[in-house]
Amino acid sequence: MTTNELAGEAYPAKAMRKIKRALGPWGVFLEGFLRNPVMVGSIIPSSRFTIDKMLAPVDWDNCKLFVEYGPGVGTFCRPVLDRLPRDGQLIVIDTNPLFIDYLKQTITDSRFIPVLGSAADVEDIVRAHGHEHADYVVSGLPFSTLPDGVGPAIAAATHRVLRKGGAFLVYQFTPRARDFMARHFARIDSGMELINVPPCFLYWGWKD
């Protein structure tokens, strides 16, 4: 390979690094989306309106363990930590090492535990960190585009890991996620947030 060919191959990587530095967290999010759009689902992080509405029903005084699937660059992490009691914990699970490495570097809260892994293994992950159950689980994973069988496996594992009275909080760009939830959660509250790109459907599945 010639010097010119090597330079040509290196240029896109250099350009991406410059874009990431210029955009900050958005640059990391963009790279994560470009590497694996099926798992990220959106090119833009959720709006603060979506975050506030999604977290509004949470009983924070009685929340000891909050779990998030697909945290990305921490769009939900910081608002959750702001609300979480001092003796609570936030476990976030992502299959993308780019996001997990970024979160480890940028969030130093002792209550924060980033895990590289699959949401389908949430029960083992929760137990590995000293808990029997989670109080709440929030997810922005794109259920409609996940590989066959993964969505149902995540929904089933989430229902099992939640305590009674806990909830599975889901925000999606299509209403199909409700179908996965309905197999396990008898009570599902729903809403919508228009001030988001794109507008998204919101669901709260409660474990009776």
Side-chain angles (χ1 to χ4, degrees), residues 137-149:
V137 177
V138 66
S139 173
L141 295 177
F143 278 87
S144 60
T145 62
L146 292 176
D148 288 345

Side-chain angles (χ1 to χ4, degrees), residues 134-178:
D135 297 295
Y136 298 90
V137 177
V138 66
S139 173
L141 295 177
F143 278 87
S144 60
T145 62
L146 292 176
D148 288 345
V150 175
I154 291 174
T158 303
H159 185 267
R160 290 192 300 267
V161 83
L162 282 169
R163 65 164 171 82
K164 287 187 176 181
F168 187 21
L169 288 56
V170 177
Y171 56 102
Q172 299 279 282
F173 305 128
T174 73
R176 283 193 60 193
R178 194 183 192 286

Side-chain angles (χ1 to χ4, degrees), residues 16-206:
M16 178 58 75
R17 285 196 294 270
K18 289 182 179 179
I19 291 172
K20 283 174 61 180
R21 283 196 296 269
L23 295 178
W26 282 52
V28 178
F29 194 89
L30 174 61
E31 182 179 358
F33 174 81
L34 293 175
R35 286 188 181 185
N36 198 347
V38 170
M39 295 303 293
V40 177
S42 173
I43 199 168
I44 298 175
S46 301
S47 73
R48 63 180 178 87
F49 301 98
T50 297
I51 295 168
D52 289 344
K53 187 175 290 187
M54 192 85 266
L55 298 180
V58 174
D59 177 7
W60 294 103
D61 290 337
N62 293 298
C63 181
K64 300 302 181 185
L65 179 61
F66 197 103
V67 176
E68 181 181 6
Y69 302 154
V73 294
T75 308
F76 267 85
C77 297
R78 292 168 180 82
V80 169
L81 289 169
D82 287 343
R83 295 164 169 81
L84 196 66
R86 290 187 177 183
D87 60 346
Q89 281 191 328
L90 167 60
I91 295 177
V92 301
I93 306 169
D94 207 305
T95 58
N96 192 328
L98 177 72
F99 291 146
I100 293 298
D101 288 344
Y102 176 81
L103 292 173
K104 286 180 178 179
Q105 294 169 17
T106 56
I107 300 180
T108 57
D109 194 308
S110 61
R111 300 168 298 167
F112 180 68
I113 303 172
V115 176
L116 180 63
S118 170
D121 298 324
V122 62
E123 293 167 284
D124 291 337
I125 292 170
V126 163
R127 283 194 292 267
H129 289 88
H131 300 275
E132 289 298 320
H133 299 285
D135 297 295
Y136 298 90
V137 177
V138 66
S139 173
L141 295 177
F143 278 87
S144 60
T145 62
L146 292 176
D148 288 345
V150 175
I154 291 174
T158 303
H159 185 267
R160 290 192 300 267
V161 83
L162 282 169
R163 65 164 171 82
K164 287 187 176 181
F168 187 21
L169 288 56
V170 177
Y171 56 102
Q172 299 279 282
F173 305 128
T174 73
R176 283 193 60 193
R178 194 183 192 286
D179 297 335
F180 291 99
M181 298 173 69
R183 300 172 192 175
H184 306 282
F185 296 89
R187 173 190 165 194
I188 301 177
D189 298 331
S190 61
M192 192 167 189
E193 181 50 61
L194 298 176
I195 309 177
N196 196 78
V197 181
C200 62
F201 297 89
L202 311 179
Y203 300 106
W204 299 265
W206 298 91

